[in-house]
Amino acid sequence: MGDFARRLGQLAARSLESESANILKTSRSNRHGLSRMLDSTLRRSHNMRIFGLGTLASLASREWYGRFTASMHAVYHAMEASFDKTDSPAVARLWDRFGTPLRREPALREDLAEVSVDPCLSGHTPATAAYVAAVHNAADADSKSGGARLVGHFYTRYFADLFGGQALAYPTRLALRLSDSSPRHYDFGSFGCERRANIDAIYAAINDATQDLSSDELNEVVRETERAFALNVAVYAEEGRLYIDAAHGAKNMVSGFVRKRLNL
């Protein structure tokens, strides 16, 4: 079962990676500035294998999905609260432009309600707590220095959602027998329908917002991005039964597609 799950995780990762790679190659605004520097962290630090396995594992049961979604809710709540009150001109400029279409916390809260999980009582695993603490530390550092370390967290999570998250909504819904509107946190509405153009617009906005930062401040954002990727890996892998649960999740996903095809 471990080998089977490993292969499924690799297959899921390759599928998402190929789509992401296509967008990365055709974007114009990620060829210079901070956007180019951040994309280098994507190649170095984003563990697509763990991402693929962790995604499949979250489909093993509604309980697993609830725990993982609660962790993501805690992270997004910390991020978006920090973006809302940031003293960093660069972060504020970026969030003022894209905060409305990108905000995920309300949708995550609704997704948790559907599976009867209280966000106030869940999502406080050690890996999640470490992630939330890192977001708060970045926000505090930005307030003191006028830097933009929070941009690293913005890039890590929202780009992951826009690049691959939307493709996960349908299989998640079928695997876990969720309502037709779930999972809501993968749905970006009209913004998501123009994903390629909007990703390029975000790249351009990142470069514009951070153009006055020093080279040291830009490198701080890069290091924070690498830290955020590592924190994501820790959350995805925290359950400890990744391969076994990924196999169960894959089975649920296949069963869901069969039910849909047979109209059961």
Side-chain angles (χ1 to χ4, degrees):
M1 184 173 287
D3 288 340
F4 174 64
R6 186 180 296 108
R7 289 171 187 166
L8 284 171
Q10 291 170 344
L11 181 62
R14 285 181 194 139
S15 176
L16 292 172
E17 193 170 21
S18 61
E19 172 66 12
S20 301
N22 182 264
I23 296 175
L24 287 168
K25 288 177 182 177
T26 57
S27 177
R28 296 176 180 272
S29 299
N30 65 343
R31 299 177 186 178
H32 58 90
L34 180 60
S35 289
R36 182 178 181 179
M37 297 169 69
L38 294 180
D39 275 359
S40 70
T41 70
L42 182 65
R43 291 185 287 271
R44 289 195 309 269
S45 305
H46 189 25
N47 191 322
M48 288 296 293
R49 181 181 63 85
I50 294 297
F51 175 76
L53 285 168
T55 299
L56 285 171
S58 71
L59 306 183
S61 67
R62 282 193 169 203
E63 290 76 19
W64 216 115
Y65 166 79
R67 290 194 300 273
F68 178 74
T69 304
S71 290
M72 287 294 102
H73 176 270
V75 170
Y76 279 96
H77 184 272
M79 282 173 42
E80 291 168 357
S82 297
F83 296 151
D84 286 340
K85 63 182 182 182
T86 185
D87 293 323
S88 164
V91 176
R93 197 176 309 155
L94 187 61
W95 188 239
D96 285 347
R97 181 170 177 186
F98 293 105
T100 297
L102 291 182
R103 190 181 296 271
R104 297 292 90 194
E105 188 276 334
L108 284 159
R109 190 169 1 102
E110 288 186 50
D111 287 338
L112 288 172
E114 181 170 341
V115 292
S116 302
V117 174
D118 185 344
C120 297
L121 302 177
S122 305
H124 298 293
T125 67
T128 305
Y131 200 155
V132 169
V135 171
H136 289 155
N137 288 339
D140 289 342
D142 288 349
S143 294
K144 293 175 182 176
S145 68
R149 282 170 52 180
L150 279 173
V151 171
H153 292 281
F154 177 100
Y155 173 89
T156 303
R157 282 304 333 154
Y158 294 121
F159 271 58
D161 292 336
L162 287 166
F163 276 128
Q166 292 182 103
L168 301 174
Y170 187 61
T172 299
R173 186 181 311 134
L174 294 183
L176 300 175
R177 303 191 186 209
L178 300 173
S179 69
D180 290 343
S181 60
S182 288
R184 298 160 186 82
H185 67 275
Y186 289 135
D187 183 6
F188 286 87
S190 60
F191 190 85
C193 292
E194 300 292 335
R195 181 175 56 164
R196 188 182 297 271
N198 283 322
I199 285 175
D200 194 64
I202 293 172
Y203 275 129
I206 287 173
N207 290 338
D208 179 66
T210 60
Q211 63 182 334
D212 294 329
L213 297 183
S214 68
S215 59
D216 286 345
E217 288 171 328
L218 292 175
N219 286 328
E220 282 288 339
V221 179
V222 171
R223 284 191 287 272
E224 192 66 34
T225 306
E226 293 171 338
R227 188 174 298 116
F229 276 126
L231 291 162
N232 272 278
V233 168
V235 170
Y236 273 93
E238 188 172 29
E239 289 288 327
R241 288 165 36 97
L242 201 56
Y243 291 116
I244 294 174
D245 287 342
H248 286 304
K251 180 181 177 182
N252 287 343
M253 185 172 64
V254 171
S255 297
F257 278 107
V258 171
R259 285 195 307 271
K260 180 69 173 179
R261 187 176 183 84
L262 298 177
N263 293 316
L264 296 179

